[in-house]
Amino acid sequence: MSMTERSSEPHAADSHDLIRVLGARVNNLKDVSVEIPKRRLTVFTGVSGSGKSSLVFGTIAAESQRMINETYSAFVQGFMPTQARPEVDVLEGLTTAIIVDQQRLGADPRSTVGTATDANAMLRILFSRLGQPQIGSPQAFSFNIATVRASGAITVERGARKTEKATFTRIGGMCVRCEGRGAVSDIDLTQLYDDSKSLAEGAFTIPGWKSDSFWTVRVYAESGFVDPDKPIRDYTKKELHDFLYGEPVKVKVDGVNLTYEGLIPKIQKSFLSKDREGMQPHIRAFVDRAVTFTTCPECDGTRLSEAARSSRIGGVSIADACAMQISDLAGWVRGLDEPSVAPLLGTLAHTLDSFVEIGLGYLSLDRPAGTLSGGEAQRVKMIRHLGSSLTDVTYVFDEPTIGLHPHDIQRMNNLLLRLRDKGNTVLVVEHKPETIVIADHVVDLGPGAGTEGGTVCFEGTVEGLRSGGTITGRHFDDRSTLKETVRTPKGTLEIRGADRHNLQNVDVDIPLGVLVVVTGVAGSGKSSLIHGSIPRGAGVVSVDQSAIRGSRRSNPATYTGLLEPIRKAFAKANGVKPALFSANSEGACPECNGAGVIYTDLAMMAGVATVCEECEGKRFQASVLEYRFGGRDISEVLAMSVVEAEEFFGAGEARTPAAHAILGRLADVGLGYLSLGQPLTTLSGGERQRLKLATHMAEKGGVYVLDEPTTGLHLADVEQLLGLLDRLVDSGKSVIVIEHHQAVMAHADWIIDLGPGAGHDGGRIVFEGTPADLVAARPTLTGEHLAAYVGT
């Protein structure tokens, strides 16, 4: 047999062109089986809650990552997050999965865009080589490393032991005053106590500090450091120092050993080290009054020591370089001609170009990582993978178009196709038709959400999807029309001279009592204008997508306050106390403490969560489940979906108006499919935002600010959201929406368009008026895209 004959037979290794999933049962998936082509772009669609993430993230990506982790030694596995095997019969043809999700980057105050990517590390090396004067190694330019000096005796035990004196210095670049944070917090003492009173007269104005409390007030009064009957303003210098800054010492109060320390360190430990979001409202108000954050006066917010700022390349210090807009910094790096560091300059320029290409050229490297939106964080993570020479990898994206203007979506599509063309499998969970269109293969899940979903409704090409009868197919070519008439404003909210971030002294009047949409390309200054510049005290309720503080014990019923009326109704019907019907209180199953599952940490191997055998996952003691209300026990009620529960509490013997009202709001915001007892940790960003919106809808606030409420919403659900926004406005509220979705723009009464570009090319108002005027004149990028969308 000749060579040509033999080579025409397919090689066995080329027959594995599919990722096969058989019998997936993660979350709400009902024995799903799909075949996904490799080295192609596959988009997963379906209404919110239909099981897309469960299939892509919870099954395919999770198993791939688990198997990679198992290739490491047991020692290394001990340091890794552990995952249990997903519930699925067969998974074949998996390749290494790289997950690019929307988890916000860590909000550590010392984390910036530069440190989250490799850009800062490269800049530090560059300055340590080329900076004049030379001040030391790359560490000397890092605001995360403090300067350390030590001297003393060192004994080397080798052969003849000898002790020698040694000194050690490590130069770091951290600013001494703010410790690399760029801001210093000052405590306003007038908010802590009234200095005209003595401690005995109750000088403290700190919430929760009662005058007879052992732990707080009496420690100061009976410590012996200060006179409890003398007004604070009359203290001597020493007394005042001990009172405010005293080092921790043990003191006896009424025979009890307690620790006395100065008031300021005590306040810092008890209030300021806690997360602001998790505080009770009155405590949060106190902290907001008592603590002021100001830019560090020593480093002027650059976080760097004076030495690190003094070393320059061509007049530019590393602080200047990090403050530049990345698109400008890329130009500066290209202008450096230094053969000794040529490879470094090449790599750095490539990284900075990737930022520009992906539409993040408007950021600067010193931008705190915690201030990036979910979409921006996802794109920052993408930068690492764009230049990667790995192929045959599975990239998994979670709605990559979030936070992107229609103009930017085209660029994102090109990047996804580039990753595919390098020979990678790209899996994308997405709702926007502009991205679904470029798919080689589409998997549509549904037909509904939650228990109504979890099956594959369609698999095939985009054309097949269009002609198929699924919800996604039917709504695929839906286009909103402009409204015939727009509402008349009832007043204005004035913003004057807004100059936060990249805003260029913007004056704008936001009409009240109507639906206002603020739009513009990513980075044009929308959030800076709305979140940063609306005057305080305007009665604004801001609903964003940030994480909800809560443990795996929190669920929609506890978060919205729904459990309260339900517990009371159960207690009243059965003549027992309400605490029995809380899984976090007296009614909890004693075996699993009301968690429903028992977590077993197996050290270096995958931890296991097993359903508690005592309560069978119901979370309550057996005796509690004997009490019924409307024929159901409390665990059955928590297992209901919002829609079922709304019906249950709406009529008949189980009628509970207080619970019914909250459930109605949850259904209004499109969360009818959530079960009442589902842990909050399993919700997506869009679901979290809608849950917050449902909670805030009962408040009296007059102005609602929503940040991209269409995130994670299927085309069919967007119509429901528009109906909800209309109801809010018609009930007398003002609604301001930061949004890129053309359906929402078309539905607005007033549009404020920022631009024309991003970063320092943005920050100006390029259009304000009705959607009809914007489409007629098409003065901006948004106008062009909106006109194309409504088909004029």
Side-chain angles (χ1 to χ4, degrees):
M1 188 162 64
S2 69
M3 277 299 291
T4 48
E5 282 174 56
R6 196 167 45 209
S7 62
S8 65
E9 293 172 20
H11 193 290
D14 297 333
S15 60
H16 306 284
D17 277 343
L18 293 172
I19 296 176
R20 292 178 57 231
V21 182
L22 290 180
R25 294 179 298 281
V26 174
N27 295 335
N28 66 338
L29 297 178
K30 298 173 183 154
D31 267 334
V32 165
S33 300
V34 287
E35 294 192 336
I36 300 160
K38 285 190 190 173
R39 295 180 282 284
R40 296 288 181 272
L41 175 64
T42 302
V43 174
F44 294 78
T45 64
V47 295
S48 314
S50 59
K52 305 181 296 295
S53 297
S54 301
L55 177 59
V56 180
F57 292 93
T59 309
I60 299 171
E63 179 63 357
S64 170
Q65 293 219 305
R66 190 182 74 83
M67 295 178 90
I68 291 167
N69 287 1
E70 285 186 356
T71 62
Y72 299 113
S73 68
F75 173 73
V76 174
Q77 285 184 50
F79 297 101
M80 297 182 129
T82 50
Q83 292 140 331
R85 186 180 188 279
E87 270 199 72
V88 58
D89 295 335
V90 180
L91 266 175
E92 283 180 357
L94 289 179
T95 68
T96 310
I98 294 178
I99 297 177
V100 190
D101 61 9
Q102 303 213 358
Q103 287 295 322
R104 301 268 170 131
L105 294 167
D108 183 280
R110 290 206 191 89
S111 180
T112 64
V113 170
T115 57
T117 54
D118 295 335
N120 257 33
M122 291 189 267
L123 267 180
R124 290 199 295 269
I125 299 171
L126 188 67
F127 273 87
S128 72
R129 299 278 192 282
L130 302 183
Q132 292 298 331
Q134 285 206 314
I135 58 165
S137 70
Q139 292 184 334
F141 293 94
S142 168
F143 52 76
N144 286 329
I145 297 177
T147 298
V148 178
R149 292 192 178 84
S151 62
I154 172 173
T155 306
V156 182
E157 301 205 1
R158 193 171 58 206
R161 285 170 52 175
K162 64 170 193 272
T163 304
E164 39 189 75
K165 192 169 183 311
T167 56
F168 161 77
T169 307
R170 181 187 73 191
I171 305 279
M174 181 186 284
C175 165
V176 180
R177 172 82 191 274
C178 64
E179 296 186 1
R181 289 192 175 87
V184 285
S185 56
D186 286 330
I187 295 182
D188 181 357
L189 298 176
T190 59
Q191 299 293 339
L192 304 185
Y193 54 76
D194 177 352
D195 67 355
S196 64
K197 292 180 178 171
S198 68
L199 293 184
E201 292 167 340
F204 286 119
T205 54
I206 301 167
W209 283 37
K210 300 186 177 62
S211 58
D212 57 348
S213 166
F214 239 8
W215 310 106
T216 52
V217 180
R218 285 182 62 187
V219 171
Y220 289 98
E222 299 173 32
S223 63
F225 288 111
V226 295
D227 179 349
D229 299 311
K230 181 157 78 171
I232 296 175
R233 62 167 63 146
D234 298 338
Y235 282 3
T236 63
K237 208 168 182 179
K238 179 169 184 342
E239 278 183 314
L240 193 61
H241 183 272
D242 286 343
F243 175 57
L244 291 178
Y245 303 103
E247 298 286 323
V249 284
K250 290 271 183 279
V251 292
K252 248 193 169 68
V253 177
D254 279 2
V256 180
N257 283 324
L258 295 173
T259 303
Y260 169 90
E261 67 178 326
L263 183 61
I264 295 218
K266 187 164 180 90
I267 290 292
Q268 280 176 323
K269 279 180 193 152
S270 56
F271 291 108
L272 305 188
S273 60
K274 293 195 173 64
D275 187 77
R276 189 178 168 279
E277 287 294 310
M279 295 176 180
Q280 294 166 291
H282 69 287
I283 305 273
R284 190 184 313 168
F286 160 71
V287 170
D288 288 346
R289 283 197 313 270
V291 184
T292 52
F293 283 94
T294 48
T295 304
C296 171
E298 262 180 48
C299 65
D300 200 17
T302 61
R303 308 157 178 257
L304 289 157
S305 66
E306 198 176 334
R309 299 198 309 276
S310 69
S311 178
R312 295 170 181 269
I313 303 176
V316 174
S317 72
I318 190 165
D320 302 334
C322 290
M324 279 184 203
Q325 187 167 307
I326 289 174
S327 50
D328 298 346
L329 180 61
W332 178 75
V333 168
R334 262 201 209 82
L336 296 174
D337 180 25
E338 197 62 51
S340 62
V341 288
L344 177 69
L345 286 172
T347 315
L348 179 56
H350 179 78
T351 302
L352 297 173
D353 287 342
S354 301
F355 271 102
V356 177
E357 189 177 350
I358 208 163
L360 292 178
Y362 59 87
L363 294 178
S364 59
L365 293 182
D366 62 4
R367 169 93 175 254
T371 62
L372 297 181
S373 69
E376 285 172 331
Q378 186 175 26
R379 295 199 289 285
V380 166
K381 292 177 196 168
M382 271 183 86
I383 284 170
R384 295 208 176 129
H385 305 305
L386 280 178
S388 163
S389 42
L390 286 173
T391 61
D392 265 331
V393 176
T394 301
Y395 285 101
V396 189
F397 289 96
D398 187 6
E399 289 197 61
T401 57
I402 283 185
L404 287 182
H405 187 271
H407 167 71
D408 299 316
I409 289 179
Q410 196 53 53
R411 289 157 91 170
M412 177 57 82
N413 284 351
N414 293 341
L415 291 169
L416 294 173
L417 294 171
R418 247 179 63 190
L419 280 174
R420 177 202 69 187
D421 293 346
K422 274 169 62 177
N424 297 307
T425 308
V426 181
L427 309 180
V428 184
V429 173
E430 187 52 87
H431 292 292
K432 293 257 175 83
E434 296 96 320
T435 297
I436 300 173
V437 160
I438 64 165
D440 301 308
H441 188 74
V442 180
V443 177
D444 188 18
L445 286 133
T451 49
E452 309 280 308
T455 58
V456 174
C457 300
F458 172 82
E459 264 191 281
T461 60
V462 177
E463 286 314 310
L465 176 71
R466 274 196 163 110
S467 53
T470 66
I471 294 187
T472 309
R474 287 204 305 275
H475 287 275
F476 195 80
D477 291 309
D478 277 10
R479 295 293 179 261
S480 294
T481 50
L482 296 174
K483 289 202 292 203
E484 299 283 311
T485 57
V486 293
R487 302 180 182 90
T488 317
K490 298 190 176 64
T492 54
L493 185 63
E494 293 184 1
I495 294 179
R496 292 290 175 265
D499 56 2
R500 184 164 174 165
H501 298 317
N502 64 337
L503 293 177
Q504 303 184 9
N505 239 343
V506 170
D507 295 342
V508 65
D509 290 338
I510 299 178
L512 295 177
V514 297
L515 177 58
V516 179
V517 169
V518 179
T519 184
V521 294
S524 56
K526 304 180 295 297
S527 298
S528 307
L529 179 67
I530 300 304
H531 293 308
S533 311
I534 283 189
R536 284 282 166 99
V540 173
V541 177
S542 179
V543 188
D544 60 13
Q545 301 189 20
S546 58
I548 291 174
R549 300 287 164 204
S551 64
R552 49 191 175 209
R553 291 174 168 279
S554 310
N555 53 43
T558 57
Y559 181 75
T560 56
L562 171 67
L563 200 56
E564 199 64 27
I566 293 180
R567 278 198 306 244
K568 284 182 180 156
F570 264 94
K572 194 173 171 190
N574 293 289
V576 289
K577 55 184 180 182
L580 278 176
F581 300 101
S582 166
N584 294 332
S585 184
E586 289 183 31
C589 159
E591 186 66 25
C592 60
N593 291 329
V597 288
I598 292 173
Y599 293 95
T600 318
D601 181 16
L602 298 178
M604 65 199 183
M605 288 166 66
V608 183
T610 45
V611 175
C612 169
E613 288 176 8
E614 179 90 1
C615 65
E616 295 173 349
K618 292 181 176 167
R619 302 172 54 191
F620 292 90
Q621 294 175 21
S623 56
V624 175
L625 298 180
E626 287 167 17
Y627 298 119
R628 294 186 167 267
F629 174 66
R632 304 281 184 101
D633 65 40
I634 182 78
S635 72
E636 289 170 339
V637 168
L638 288 177
M640 289 181 182
S641 70
V642 168
V643 175
E644 287 172 70
E646 188 179 12
E647 202 174 308
F648 177 72
F649 288 110
E653 56 178 320
R655 192 167 168 275
T656 314
H660 189 255
I662 296 175
L663 288 161
R665 289 199 288 274
L666 284 169
D668 274 351
V669 295
L671 292 178
Y673 58 90
L674 282 190
S675 74
L676 304 185
Q678 182 177 337
L680 289 188
T681 45
T682 61
L683 299 187
S684 68
E687 287 169 338
R688 287 197 294 261
Q689 184 180 24
R690 295 198 289 288
L691 184 60
K692 288 182 198 169
L693 178 59
T695 326
H696 286 309
M697 271 167 64
E699 289 180 16
K700 294 286 175 278
V703 182
Y704 282 74
V705 174
L706 306 182
D707 201 339
E708 291 201 57
T710 57
T711 298
L713 278 186
H714 187 263
L715 300 160
D717 298 329
V718 171
E719 292 171 22
Q720 192 180 358
L721 177 79
L722 293 175
L724 170 70
L725 296 179
D726 277 343
R727 285 199 297 282
L728 278 174
V729 175
D730 294 338
S731 70
K733 309 253 192 272
S734 302
V735 180
I736 302 170
V737 185
I738 299 174
E739 188 55 88
H740 294 292
H741 202 297
Q742 293 106 316
V744 182
M745 290 184 210
H747 202 74
D749 297 307
W750 191 256
I751 285 187
I752 297 173
D753 191 9
L754 282 115
H760 54 47
D761 299 330
R764 294 188 288 277
I765 304 274
V766 287
F767 175 82
E768 35 186 335
T770 63
D773 292 345
L774 179 61
V775 166
R778 299 184 202 181
T780 64
L781 279 171
T782 308
E784 296 284 345
H785 284 279
L786 187 58
Y789 180 81
V790 295
T792 53

